[in-house]
Amino acid sequence: MDFLAPLMLRNLDFKSLSNPSSSINKTTDDEDSKILKNGTIITMAGGEFSPTDALVVKQGTISYVGSADEAERIAGPSAKTVDLGGRCLLPGSIEPHLHLVLSALANEVFIPMSPLIVTSTDSAKAEIAKAAKTSKRDAWVVGFVHDPSRISGHLELTRDILDDETVSLGHPAYIFNLSGHIAYVNSEAFKRANIDDSIEDPNFQKKDGKLTGVLFELAVNTVAYSISQPSAEEIVSYGQNTLESQSDIDIVTAVTTQQSTVPIRYFGAFAIYTVTADPNLAKTSPVIVGKAEISTIKFWADGSTQGFTAAVTEPYRNTPEGMDPRGILNYSAKDLQDLMGTWLNKGFRLAVHANGDAAVDRTLDSYEAIFKASPDHAPKVTKVLHRIEHLTVVRPEQIERAQALGISVSQTIKHVHYWGPTFLDYVLGPKRAAFIGPLNSDNKAGLIFFLHSDSPVTDVEPLLYLRTATTRLMYPTTDVLGPDERVDLVTALRGVTTNPAMQLGIADKAGSLEVGKAADMVVLDEDLRSIDAARLDKLIVKQTWIEGRCVYDKSADAAHERVTPEL
């Protein structure tokens, strides 16, 4: 998933664009004192709903939680009263896993090819041809989020298909699979990248000695080097637009310090290949870039489940031609352990992408080995929550083992929502599909989990995470996938508030509405506890508050929703 973005940004100068500024202006105590009351206030203190009557906010921090009368006495006569009008106030959600730059490119540059748009191979060809017709001469045609697992026929976009003169129209074509681990290219793309049938690399799929145009893992990276780049100014603009609607170090700095940036807290991870290429980027943890804090190193143990490159112990139910029926492991056991151990001993948090249960086995083995080798850095001593990303195809004993090791899991719960039917009928079969995203098993085992989008794989939609976690309803049906893995609402809420705050090491600052924490809050139109769980994603976000400032207001008569904070 992270291969394409750095390549699109290489050699661009973002440092000259940085214009550091404070996105939130703190004023005096009296001017910044607010009482929020007359609504449902869910604090999530102690990981429970823990409702209260009122909050007092001073200089962006919560100074009191309790009765409305006491709030008025403590706040003083000059405090501003914010009448919630019966609406529901709760902690702002924390999105623990998305790809900012790639999301920005997907939103602003690439041809959208999601299964909501592309429903067959013919419609995929039509979208590519439409873009090719309007592209400048010799320009690359780059499609994004194509997913054969969810379209009729499940046909991969091979070189032969893309070479059709009615499709790419002579342009080099590069189509990125939604999984982030596969791409499809035509002959002109191979020509631009100086690659031919003589290449010997298993990540370049071949049939009868000829390249098919299907690329896996690092081969996705190799061809992408030849794609033309946007300018630095364009990239920063794209990044800001993406944040307002919902990696490279210099672009993170630029995006997070521009005057127009939305005031959001940013935490990041270095890709292992980034710090391997330049270890000086991450000498000690955390690393501060712009307004972002980076304290994590990310590794990829395997690929994508829906892309059939996740490493599984039992073969996929159906495997596309030319692909390994058990997926791909990206590291030997020794290599993964050595890499993880190096960065553990430097004081960084570790995050390992592991979709398939074979990759989960390798990741758990590696965690166990490095904790044994460096006991002073083990979670039981440091209280640091290292993590596994996705944990899609997993066995019950692996959940127990992860909990015993003291690590946490970040799960793409919308796999259930969007890919449930595909996993059920085509990719995994009923038994394994019913156990993807097993939040109830996680919770019963005492394993700390949190929910993420993996944007641009899926959109950042925390209310839909809650709906899916509590119902496990599959789109576009009303069918339930694995009903035993549903959780109650408060458990799901922990997955977007207190749990990711714990993993990021910011539980003293965010994740719940308690005295001494930042007043990062969201206002919903209804009490989410009082509606049917299937309606959770239909709730309307009325306001968003960051450090006690309303930065988004969806008033009924508002001419615009965005509120520009004082600078």
Side-chain angles (χ1 to χ4, degrees), residues 250-267:
D250 290 335
I251 189 177
V252 172
T253 305
V255 169
T256 62
T257 54
Q258 289 291 300
Q259 290 278 356
S260 62
T261 300
V262 180
I264 296 175
R265 301 184 195 287
Y266 309 88
F267 298 87

Side-chain angles (χ1 to χ4, degrees), residues 336-415:
L336 185 58
Q337 288 176 24
D338 288 349
L339 283 169
M340 290 172 63
T342 296
W343 293 98
L344 176 76
N345 290 324
K346 289 185 178 183
F348 282 85
R349 297 171 188 270
L350 308 181
V352 184
H353 167 119
N355 262 307
D357 62 332
V360 173
D361 280 334
R362 181 148 295 179
T363 301
L364 292 172
D365 289 345
S366 296
Y367 271 124
E368 184 173 355
I370 64 174
F371 294 159
K372 183 177 181 180
S374 303
D376 290 345
H377 291 281
K380 291 180 180 179
V381 175
T382 64
K383 308 304 179 186
V384 170
L385 279 175
H386 304 286
R387 55 200 267 191
I388 298 178
E389 305 301 300
H390 309 303
L391 203 79
T392 305
V393 181
V394 61
R395 306 187 306 273
E397 68 272 16
Q398 292 176 317
I399 292 173
E400 300 285 347
R401 188 179 176 198
Q403 192 280 330
L405 287 169
I407 59 179
S408 58
V409 296
S410 182
Q411 294 189 309
T412 322
I413 192 60
K414 284 164 74 176
H415 274 156

Side-chain angles (χ1 to χ4, degrees), residues 279-359:
N280 290 325
L281 283 174
K283 291 181 178 180
T284 59
S285 175
V287 178
I288 305 300
V289 289
K291 292 188 176 75
E293 177 180 306
I294 301 179
S295 60
T296 300
I297 307 295
K298 184 181 177 185
F299 309 80
W300 284 262
D302 68 348
S304 158
T305 312
Q306 59 269 29
F308 299 91
T309 56
V312 292
T313 54
E314 296 181 21
Y316 287 103
R317 190 175 199 185
N318 295 279
T319 307
E321 184 180 1
M323 299 180 70
D324 190 315
R326 287 184 170 86
I328 300 171
L329 280 167
N330 291 335
Y331 297 101
S332 69
K334 183 179 185 305
D335 286 347
L336 185 58
Q337 288 176 24
D338 288 349
L339 283 169
M340 290 172 63
T342 296
W343 293 98
L344 176 76
N345 290 324
K346 289 185 178 183
F348 282 85
R349 297 171 188 270
L350 308 181
V352 184
H353 167 119
N355 262 307
D357 62 332

